[in-house]
Amino acid sequence: FFFQAEDGIRDVAVTGVQTCALPICTPHYSLTSPDAGPVDGYFTVVLNTNPYTFLGNRPLDLSPAASLDRGLVAVTFRTLDLATVLRTANRALRSGGVEADDHIDVRTDLEALDIESTTPFPYQLDGDYLGETSHLEFRHVPDAVRLVRPLEP
């Protein structure tokens, strides 16, 4: 029950968005993006790098389309039934990425993504609880992070 977002993604009020969590008791939010209609979800991962994380030394690959050179990827679980969760975890651990189907919505190369709920929900960023909101807004911001290093002598 996490939203995952890497450097270069911005919430309306927060910079450096990393991870947001939502409770998963009912599908209580709607995810929208400019290129597709809304989808109700229980759980969404928003990312721009792959693998999403590791299970031990095994990568959890959600989407080969997730790259710092492309827009955002959003993987939304439309159900949390056991068969869907296990099938999706198996696909991600086999390094093939998650495929869209009736229970999983996959959107790639997104420039923008909004998540809205009729009631406020708690969320966190990079493990830090930030309170409750009824709207999260993600925008892909290329080259948002600049690294500075000393010149070689």
Side-chain angles (χ1 to χ4, degrees), residues 26-98:
T26 60
H28 67 114
Y29 66 84
S30 178
L31 179 142
T32 58
S33 59
D35 297 335
V39 62
D40 291 333
Y42 281 88
F43 172 86
T44 296
V45 179
V46 178
L47 62 155
N48 69 348
T49 60
N50 196 48
Y52 167 68
T53 192
F54 289 84
L55 182 60
N57 63 352
R58 297 193 65 175
L60 188 66
D61 291 321
L62 293 180
S63 175
S67 164
L68 294 175
D69 298 325
R70 297 175 66 174
L72 304 174
V73 173
V75 178
T76 300
F77 285 74
R78 301 177 74 179
T79 179
L80 286 179
D81 69 76
L82 185 59
T84 298
V85 172
L86 291 176
R87 183 180 66 252
T88 304
N90 183 39
R91 287 179 186 165
L93 286 169
R94 285 186 297 146
S95 300
V98 175

Side-chain angles (χ1 to χ4, degrees), residues 44-150:
T44 296
V45 179
V46 178
L47 62 155
N48 69 348
T49 60
N50 196 48
Y52 167 68
T53 192
F54 289 84
L55 182 60
N57 63 352
R58 297 193 65 175
L60 188 66
D61 291 321
L62 293 180
S63 175
S67 164
L68 294 175
D69 298 325
R70 297 175 66 174
L72 304 174
V73 173
V75 178
T76 300
F77 285 74
R78 301 177 74 179
T79 179
L80 286 179
D81 69 76
L82 185 59
T84 298
V85 172
L86 291 176
R87 183 180 66 252
T88 304
N90 183 39
R91 287 179 186 165
L93 286 169
R94 285 186 297 146
S95 300
V98 175
E99 298 173 10
D101 61 27
D102 290 340
H103 305 292
I104 303 290
D105 182 74
V106 178
R107 299 175 186 208
T108 60
D109 294 315
L110 300 172
E111 295 300 318
L113 172 70
D114 292 313
I115 298 167
E116 294 190 73
S117 175
T118 57
T119 59
F121 53 84
Y123 71 106
Q124 66 180 21
L125 302 176
D126 199 20
D128 295 324
Y129 173 76
L130 294 181
E132 294 189 357
T133 187
S134 58
H135 183 219
L136 289 172
E137 182 178 308
F138 296 90
R139 299 294 178 255
H140 178 247
V141 182
D143 303 320
V145 177
R146 305 233 190 274
L147 298 178
V148 178
R149 65 178 177 89

